[in-house]
């Protein structure tokens, strides 16, 4: 099919006024970024929708990209006519000729849904249904009118500056425009779940930065690269993503020495949350996001989540908490993280997995063990201090900004090459936590 234009329609943004404009502009920028490699299409926002004039570009090349724009619910593939009865009739007939060519001889149900948005146009919506529909029905005996459930519903939108016709509407990802709901820290492991949790957070309009805990040299550099590769996929949705790589070896080793093997995972998770919370403060993120799914493993029972969650005082968002593994896997395949996630590199948590991890740890006992471990608070601060930050771009942006030092506001950051590793500096945080 030969189309002139796409109409991108927003989803559930019910907010009015200034914020609505901000939300819409965020999605508009996202569309512009995704189409930066295509010089032809003209993107504009009007009447609370986004229009993409194709100028010869095959929609099959760009629609799959645009389906990923957060905040967009559907995309209509449009033919345009001047707002003039004869031209509308002629183009609608030509449009249906193309549609019917693909249908063979079978009977196809059909209706016209005209909408006169521009009131000075001399024919009302009902009239237009007949004026456009009759010549089409005469031309194609295989068409049968069905006003309730037509296979082809030819929409005709009559506006002053042009009339838009479409019958193909593809669904898009929906949610809220990127970053329109604030920022959160994603705890990103190399597994299947946390990248899906990250994507879910992005779709909900959260900007995310990632925190990954590694136990180098017990875990390999390739294991770290796997996490960066996963974050790179997320950057494809977000444009840019920072990944904070936290050295966790020392803390983890300490936990293996306290003689409570069944609590190692609980202790590790609590320290991860403490470190992630400090990084969240430092980078002005207001929540933590994890890939926890209720009951999946010992650390994800209600009892464990309670004791682990007490280690932070900022909201813990668990987008996957009620989802089945199959649903999570399906999303991970759709967003392109699954094949990376199943690569067999070890994670820090798989290194010292105890035989019988506690499914119902006792908070008092866990706190006592933590208090007993000499220097744990200092080790946590040290891990934050030694965190390295990698900035990943999705490869579409021309500029290669990267963050310089942890607590410097973004606009003051020095420019460094994309995907560079930058040492965190966070001395000023030492006093603020413990
Ligand atoms: P995933 O598939 O996301 O690894 P999982 O089913 O393996 O999840 P766990 O290993 O229990 O579950 O981890 C639960 C959550 O804790 C993860 O989804 C992630 O958010 C966080 N997490 C676990 N290990 C790490 C790590 N090494 N670095 C950062 N976050 C981690
Ligand atoms: Mg895991």
């Amino acid at each position: 099919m030969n189309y002139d234009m796409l109409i991108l329609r927003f989803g559930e943004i019910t907010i009015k006024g200034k914020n609505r404009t901000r939300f819409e502009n965020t999605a508009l920028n996202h569309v512009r970024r995704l189409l930066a490699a295509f010089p032809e299409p003209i993107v504009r926002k009007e009447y609370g929708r986004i229009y993409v004039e194709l100028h010869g570009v095959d929609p099959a090349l760009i629609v799959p990209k645009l389906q990923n724009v957060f905040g967009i619910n559907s995309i209509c593939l449009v033919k345009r006519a001047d707002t003039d009865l004869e031209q509308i009739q002629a183009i609608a007939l030509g449009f249906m000729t193309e549609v019917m060519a693909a249908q063979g001889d079978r009977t196809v149900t059909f209706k016209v849904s005209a909408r006169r948005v521009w009131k000075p146009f001399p024919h009302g919506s009902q009239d237009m249904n007949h004026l456009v529909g009759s010549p089409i029905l005469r031309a194609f005996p295989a068409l049968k009118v069905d006003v309730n459930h037509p296979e082809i519903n030819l929409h005709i939108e009559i506006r002053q500056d042009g009339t838009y016709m479409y019958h193909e509407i593809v669904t898009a990802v929906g949610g809220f425009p990127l970053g329109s709901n604030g920022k959160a820290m994603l705890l990103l492991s190399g597994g299947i779940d946390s990248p899906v949790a990250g994507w879910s957070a992005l779709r909900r309009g959260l900007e995310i930065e990632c925190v990954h805990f590694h136990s180098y040299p017990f875990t390999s550099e390739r294991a770290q690269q796997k996490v960066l590769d996963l974050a790179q996929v997320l950057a494809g949705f977000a444009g840019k993503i920072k990944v904070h790589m936290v050295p966790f070896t020392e803390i983890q080793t300490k936990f293996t020495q306290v003689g409570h093997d069944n609590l190692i995972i609980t202790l590790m998770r609590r320290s991860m949350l403490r470190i992630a919370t400090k990084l969240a403060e430092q980078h002005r993120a207001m929540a933590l996001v994890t890939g926890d799914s209720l009951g999946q493993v010992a650390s994800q029972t209600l009892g464990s989540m309670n004791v682990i969650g007490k280690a932070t005082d900022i909201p813990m968002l668990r987008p996957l908490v009620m989802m089945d593994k199959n649903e999570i896997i399906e999303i991970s395949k759709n967003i392109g993280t699954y094949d990376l996630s199943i690569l067999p590199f070890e994670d820090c948590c798989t290194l010292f997995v105890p035989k019988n991890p506690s499914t119902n740890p006792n908070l008092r006992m866990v706190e006592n063990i933590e208090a007993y471990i000499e220097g744990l608070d200092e080790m946590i601060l040290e891990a934050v201090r030694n965190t390295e930050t990698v900035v990943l771009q999705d490869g579409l942006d021309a500029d290669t900004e990267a963050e310089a030092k942890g607590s410097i506001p973004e606009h003051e950051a020095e420019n460094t090459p994309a995907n560079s590793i930058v040492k965190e500096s966070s001395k000023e945080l030492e006093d603020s936590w413990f």
Side-chain angles (χ1 to χ4, degrees), residues 176-338:
F176 285 91
L178 265 180
S180 57
N181 277 331
K183 195 202 282 187
M185 261 313 155
L186 167 71
L187 279 79
L188 180 65
S189 69
I192 292 172
D193 303 323
S194 45
V196 174
W199 177 84
S200 306
L202 289 170
R203 185 168 75 155
R204 221 52 211 158
L206 284 172
E207 181 189 346
I208 55 170
E209 293 187 17
C210 305
V211 191
H212 176 68
F213 299 88
H214 65 84
S215 297
Y216 185 80
F218 295 119
T219 54
S220 63
E221 273 177 1
R222 288 181 75 190
Q224 288 185 51
Q225 188 55 47
K226 172 185 173 182
V227 172
L228 292 178
D229 291 345
L230 283 167
Q232 184 68 55
V233 177
L234 293 178
F237 295 100
K240 176 177 117 175
I241 280 201
K242 289 176 195 167
V243 189
H244 306 288
M245 305 292 275
V246 183
F248 203 57
T249 321
E250 200 187 347
I251 294 172
Q252 189 169 10
T253 311
K254 204 77 180 177
F255 289 146
T256 61
Q257 296 162 356
V258 294
H260 291 275
D261 282 2
N262 61 331
L263 290 174
I264 286 180
I265 300 279
T266 312
L267 291 162
M268 274 168 50
R269 287 276 183 273
R270 281 172 58 88
S271 287
M272 284 182 180
L273 291 192
R274 287 174 154 192
I275 292 167
T277 305
K278 290 202 77 60
L279 290 168
E281 269 176 26
Q282 196 174 340
H283 296 273
R284 298 182 183 84
M286 289 170 68
L288 304 181
V289 178
T290 71
D292 292 329
S293 177
L294 186 59
Q296 203 185 78
V297 287
S299 59
Q300 296 172 27
T301 60
L302 268 189
S304 287
M305 282 196 207
N306 256 300
V307 171
I308 293 168
K310 290 243 162 31
T312 184
D313 55 4
I314 62 175
M316 286 278 288
L317 307 180
R318 300 176 172 99
L320 315 183
V321 74
M322 299 299 181
M323 284 170 74
D324 276 0
K325 193 76 188 184
N326 286 341
E327 298 170 274
I328 299 169
I329 287 176
E330 199 180 316
I331 298 177
S332 77
K333 286 181 176 165
N334 286 338
I335 64 174
T337 52
Y338 182 76

Side-chain angles (χ1 to χ4, degrees), residues 143-185:
L143 283 176
K144 193 171 132 258
V145 174
D146 178 349
V147 290
N148 295 318
H149 305 288
E151 287 167 73
I152 295 173
N153 188 349
L154 181 64
H155 295 266
I156 312 237
E157 239 182 64
I158 302 153
R159 297 187 178 269
Q160 183 170 13
D161 54 350
T163 292
Y164 307 139
M165 297 176 209
Y166 54 89
H167 84 94
E168 276 191 85
I169 303 175
V170 295
T171 47
V173 64
F176 285 91
L178 265 180
S180 57
N181 277 331
K183 195 202 282 187
M185 261 313 155

Side-chain angles (χ1 to χ4, degrees), residues 96-116:
M96 285 305 295
T97 307
E98 281 184 60
V99 172
M100 292 308 284
Q103 302 291 334
D105 288 340
R106 65 185 194 95
T107 304
V108 178
T109 54
F110 165 78
K111 89 171 189 184
V112 177
S113 302
R115 197 156 68 89
R116 182 177 56 169

